[in-house]
Amino acid sequence: MNKYTYLLLLLCLVQLPLKAQNLLQYNWEEKRKLHTLTDKEAEEPAIALLSRQSYEYAVDQEKGALKQYTLTHRIVKVNTDNAIEQHNRIYIPLHNTESVLQLKARSISPDGKVTEVDKNNIREIKDDESQGAYRIFALEGVVKGSEIEYFYLEENSLGFFGRAYFQSAIPCRKAVFTLECPSFIQFDAKSYNGFSSPVESINGEVRVLAAEQADIPALRKQEFAKYNSNRQRIEFRLNKNLRFSPDPIFTWSDAIKYINSQVYEVDAKESKAVQKLYKGLKINASLAAKEKIHQIENHLKTNFLIQKGLGSANLEEIIKGGYGSELGLVRLYASLFNLAGVAHEVGLTSNRDNIRFDPEFSSWNYLETYLFYFPALDMYLAPEDMMYRFPLIPYDNTHNSGLFFNPAAVAGATGKIPHTIRSISTPAYKHNFHNMDIQLKLTPALDKVNLQVRQEYGGYSAAYLQPAYAIMPQEQREEMIQSLIKFAAPDAQVEKYNITGGEPNTNVLEKPFVIDASLNSTALLERAGNKYLLKVGQVIGPQSELYQEEARTLTVENEFNRMYDRTIRVELPAGYMVKNLEDIRINKIFKMGKAEKPHCMFTSDYKQEGNTLVITIEEFYNEIECDLENYEKFREVVNAAADFNKVTLVLEKGKAN
């Protein structure tokens, strides 16, 4: 959301006679020696000897305006060829950058030779997809044992919330955070995941927040984990402008006041356009709130587009043109809900896939994504995501917190609108499923397998499949369905298929997306002398695996709870039996403490009915998180599915037991 206009109005910084721009004097050590590594550091492919993030809010004395500067300084020792390849090309993002005031880079070889980057070799590249830009350059003269050093100073668009990461895939010997500002301004900062807490000091007319951390371990990405949320970092926010008041500013209450004005203040022309649109929807006043919500959402997500960061927020323009900004569409939803008499709250949360919302630290950087909450239904709606339908919202907004308020609530004597930090729950595992019912029959010539496959997708397992299918051209639909069918047999020849639940605006929590298909495969069956090998495990498709040798460092965090119920019926050829039936039986169940319901489980079993072998598989994941202490039990369940995927039945002539 565009919050900076509001911030500038609150700050009101003019005519500030202060010495400024200390970072402009920053420089590296011109003639320095190479760092000496410890034995442990020398074993690392690469190590960050210094990682510095410094921020300065200083006054431009000519203009009397507050400026923001950011300094990044890194020194990396590279000990292997792969490390050289990864680190000798430097990318400098220019998001929120008004100008790069300084940029210096050099390599220092083991024999002390210094090679500085020629500024003529620095390129600036536009990234059309992200509407951003970055500068890129490569360092020359880098060999094993070299140190790569660079720093750059930016003048940034003015903002009062920040996030600095200090942990990466390589260890860091020394990390430094500083934030300088005029003494009448006070910033608040919070460290995460073990980084030192910043300490405040005042030096004349300058207030400083500073923190250092030594020997930060490497943090590498791992399956079933969120990377950024686990990195050592500092969040900071403007807390006070002591020139005006000792009271905190940019609190959650201030955010609510701003959001309320942005979303619900509608001028006469906008109001008239919304009323006309609402009248055309012909929503029966006697309908239940749930049905009204469905009608409004389906109409807006079918007939309007969001232009991220570009579109208008004016309701009259949006209704006329059929597109608008994220805020604009949120305003349109809110106005229509009010006209329909649907009680609701509006709120904002973060993307858990990137960073988790911290209710205890009121940084507006957490206010990334709008949601609507309906208290009477205890359900949410995602106005910004066109692929989701009420009451399903993106999984990375769930198992998270968010800031919400009721627009109908009356402000108290302080003028503050009541607000709530809500815990946004995630749907239970039974709502998110990919279930399979598969029938296998070997041809009389025993040269291939005929399959009848039914796949049912529901909840988050269908959240992107069903909406995409509903709007795809036929050719793309065909490609998509073929790939999903061949999930059970990559070499499959598809004879026919049928889709149900593929209509637009389908609620995948109530109506699953279903594929019924007939196909045949030769790859599932092999002959080995007088025996046949039936790769029955492959029909459940490729499975996640956790066989890594590297020690686990990150707690498990699933995207969403989920289940997989599978039934496989194998019609055995006359006169043949399965030699290794017990290979089918797998039983991995993980319970946390005294919990009645397992945290997660994978069980597979069988029974034989005449010449039909019936295999049943139950797999589910009932909790989003699993701590490191219990990781091995979680890992066993995940790997059990991968182990079943490898099960091959040995068929030989003889009578069944």
Side-chain angles (χ1 to χ4, degrees):
M1 106 184 147
N2 182 7
K3 44 190 176 280
Y4 294 111
T5 301
Y6 179 66
L7 304 181
L8 290 168
L9 289 172
L10 281 183
L11 200 58
C12 297
L13 291 170
V14 293
Q15 298 179 354
L16 306 175
L18 292 170
K19 184 178 180 180
Q21 298 130 345
N22 292 328
L23 286 181
L24 288 177
Q25 315 307 318
Y26 188 87
N27 202 356
W28 58 25
E29 187 180 349
E30 288 292 348
K31 295 181 180 180
R32 67 170 177 84
K33 296 180 180 180
L34 289 171
H35 295 76
T36 301
L37 301 186
T38 66
D39 291 343
K40 183 179 180 182
E41 289 174 337
E43 293 175 356
E44 295 286 347
I47 178 170
L49 299 167
L50 174 67
S51 179
R52 181 186 186 101
Q53 284 293 121
S54 293
Y55 303 86
E56 183 178 5
Y57 291 82
V59 177
D60 183 326
Q61 292 176 320
E62 292 183 1
K63 298 180 180 179
L66 194 68
K67 297 284 188 177
Q68 178 184 342
Y69 304 94
T70 302
L71 174 80
T72 300
H73 187 181
R74 283 176 64 82
I75 304 174
V76 178
K77 184 87 165 188
V78 288
N79 296 324
T80 67
D81 290 332
N82 284 340
I84 293 171
E85 188 174 338
Q86 291 174 14
H87 295 281
N88 79 330
R89 190 177 295 271
I90 310 300
Y91 296 85
I92 298 175
L94 300 178
H95 181 62
N96 286 334
T97 301
E98 293 190 357
S99 63
V100 177
L101 304 178
Q102 277 200 81
L103 196 168
K104 298 174 74 172
R106 65 185 174 184
S107 65
I108 306 175
S109 67
D111 61 7
K113 182 181 178 181
V114 177
T115 305
E116 288 203 32
V117 169
D118 184 343
K119 292 185 178 180
N120 293 323
N121 294 331
I122 298 175
R123 294 183 296 148
E124 185 166 323
I125 298 174
K126 293 281 187 182
D127 187 341
D128 294 332
E129 290 187 7
S130 64
Q131 297 173 348
Y134 58 91
R135 291 190 180 179
I136 181 174
F137 56 90
L139 289 129
E140 297 180 354
V142 181
V143 297
K144 284 189 283 189
S146 291
E147 291 183 10
I148 294 170
E149 181 175 14
Y150 62 93
F151 79 89
Y152 56 94
L153 176 65
E154 308 165 85
E155 180 181 335
N156 303 109
S157 304
L158 190 60
F160 299 108
F161 309 97
R163 176 177 300 142
Y165 290 104
F166 295 97
Q167 193 171 25
S168 68
I170 62 173
C172 178
R173 178 189 284 187
K174 181 182 179 181
V176 179
F177 167 84
T178 64
L179 188 154
E180 297 183 17
C181 61
S183 58
F184 64 86
I185 296 174
Q186 186 179 60
F187 276 82
D188 192 11
K190 183 176 180 179
S191 60
Y192 294 80
N193 303 314
F195 198 84
S196 298
S197 296
V199 175
E200 184 182 84
S201 62
I202 297 179
N203 182 13
E205 295 181 324
V206 177
R207 189 186 300 270
V208 180
L209 277 173
E212 288 191 15
Q213 183 69 38
D215 300 323
I216 299 174
L219 189 70
R220 296 180 176 88
K221 293 182 179 181
Q222 296 179 322
E223 294 292 320
F224 298 97
K226 305 302 180 188
Y227 186 66
N228 280 342
S229 289
N230 286 287
R231 296 167 69 189
Q232 291 193 18
R233 75 180 197 275
I234 285 180
E235 301 274 347
F236 60 89
R237 55 175 291 273
L238 180 62
N239 186 42
K240 294 179 181 179
N241 181 355
L242 297 171
R243 181 160 287 182
F244 291 91
S245 170
D247 296 329
I249 55 177
F250 304 131
T251 62
W252 290 139
S253 293
D254 292 328
I256 288 301
K257 185 176 181 180
Y258 172 65
I259 297 164
N260 182 61
S261 67
Q262 289 287 290
V263 174
Y264 291 101
E265 290 183 4
V266 177
D267 66 30
K269 289 184 177 179
E270 290 180 305
S271 179
K272 183 177 179 181
V274 174
Q275 290 181 39
K276 182 178 179 181
L277 174 64
Y278 180 75
K279 185 177 180 180
L281 295 180
K282 298 180 180 179
I283 296 175
N284 192 320
S286 65
L287 285 177
K290 192 173 181 180
E291 294 306 314
K292 292 178 179 179
I293 295 166
H294 275 306
Q295 284 196 30
I296 290 170
E297 181 189 39
N298 288 342
H299 181 81
L300 294 187
K301 289 187 176 179
T302 300
N303 296 283
F304 292 85
L305 296 175
I306 290 178
Q307 285 189 313
K308 291 187 177 294
L310 294 174
S312 172
N314 181 277
L315 297 183
E316 186 181 20
E317 293 176 4
I318 292 170
I319 293 169
K320 182 179 179 180
Y323 57 87
S325 66
E326 297 97 320
L327 173 61
L329 267 295
V330 169
R331 297 181 73 227
L332 186 52
Y333 274 97
S335 294
L336 291 173
F337 289 148
N338 282 340
L339 289 173
V342 176
H344 65 278
E345 296 179 6
V346 69
L348 284 138
T349 186
S350 64
N351 180 333
R352 173 171 59 92
D353 216 29
N354 179 48
I355 208 77
R356 189 182 289 259
F357 188 102
D358 182 359
E360 304 301 320
F361 191 74
S362 59
S363 170
W364 293 14
N365 270 352
Y366 291 122
L367 306 180
E368 296 178 331
T369 304
Y370 279 99
L371 295 175
F372 284 98
Y373 175 68
F374 305 95
L377 302 171
D378 192 24
M379 293 176 178
Y380 295 86
L381 181 147
E384 296 182 41
D385 198 311
M386 310 301 275
M387 302 296 277
Y388 282 86
R389 291 296 184 272
F390 169 79
L392 201 64
I393 63 174
Y395 64 79
D396 48 27
N397 295 149
T398 70
H399 194 68
N400 201 4
S401 298
L403 176 67
F404 289 83
F405 74 100
N406 180 351
V410 178
T414 62
K416 295 181 178 179
I417 301 172
H419 66 272
T420 303
I421 300 290
R422 292 200 175 279
S423 178
I424 306 169
S425 61
T426 193
Y429 75 92
K430 289 188 176 181
H431 295 295
N432 312 307
F433 54 83
H434 177 198
N435 297 337
M436 303 180 77
D437 191 297
I438 304 171
Q439 298 180 42
L440 305 179
K441 184 178 181 180
L442 281 63
T443 59
L446 299 180
D447 59 350
K448 62 182 177 180
V449 181
N450 291 326
L451 299 91
Q452 299 293 324
V453 180
R454 181 181 180 86
Q455 298 186 66
E456 297 182 348
Y457 298 86
Y460 284 125
S461 298
Y464 283 100
L465 295 177
Q466 193 282 335
Y469 177 86
I471 62 175
M472 279 181 178
Q474 184 57 39
E475 183 178 344
Q476 291 183 13
R477 284 185 174 185
E478 181 72 23
E479 291 177 4
M480 171 183 166
I481 297 303
Q482 288 280 343
S483 67
L484 292 174
I485 292 172
K486 292 182 179 182
F487 184 79
D491 75 316
Q493 297 296 314
V494 180
E495 297 170 357
K496 61 179 180 179
Y497 68 83
N498 183 60
I499 306 296
T500 55
E503 305 82 8
N505 299 320
T506 295
N507 179 356
V508 291
L509 285 173
E510 296 178 354
K511 186 175 183 179
F513 183 66
V514 182
I515 305 172
D516 287 293
S518 299
L519 52 147
N520 62 74
S521 167
T522 57
L524 292 176
L525 187 66
E526 290 183 10
R527 183 168 183 170
N530 60 353
K531 300 175 183 178
Y532 288 89
L533 307 179
L534 179 61
K535 300 172 187 176
V536 69
Q538 288 190 12
V539 300
I540 69 169
Q543 302 295 302
S544 298
E545 297 180 354
L546 290 173
Y547 294 124
Q548 79 276 5
E549 296 180 3
E550 187 179 275
R552 184 76 182 191
T553 57
L554 300 178
T555 58
V556 168
E557 186 171 337
N558 290 298
E559 293 177 335
F560 51 87
N561 301 322
R562 60 205 181 278
M563 64 176 280
Y564 308 88
D565 277 355
R566 308 172 179 107
T567 302
I568 305 169
R569 296 175 177 84
V570 182
E571 186 176 328
L572 299 172
Y576 279 82
M577 59 173 285
V578 179
K579 185 179 180 180
N580 59 328
L581 282 171
E582 288 305 304
D583 287 356
I584 295 171
R585 286 202 168 114
I586 300 175
N587 188 46
K588 294 294 181 182
I589 300 175
F590 163 38
K591 280 190 175 183
M592 186 84 79
K594 297 181 180 179
E596 293 184 9
K597 190 75 176 176
H599 183 288
C600 55
M601 64 175 280
F602 181 97
T603 63
S604 56
D605 206 346
Y606 72 89
K607 63 180 179 179
Q608 193 158 348
E609 302 169 347
N611 70 330
T612 301
L613 176 66
V614 182
I615 301 170
T616 54
I617 303 170
E618 183 179 5
E619 179 183 6
F620 67 75
Y621 299 86
N622 189 37
E623 299 288 343
I624 296 294
E625 296 186 45
C626 176
D627 57 29
L628 284 175
E629 182 181 351
N630 291 290
Y631 170 72
E632 283 302 321
K633 296 175 183 176
F634 174 84
R635 180 172 176 259
E636 287 179 356
V637 173
V638 172
N639 285 343
D643 291 342
F644 183 87
N645 185 237
K646 299 177 180 68
V647 170
T648 296
L649 300 181
V650 180
L651 279 58
E652 62 181 11
K653 287 192 174 182
K655 293 183 179 180
N657 294 331

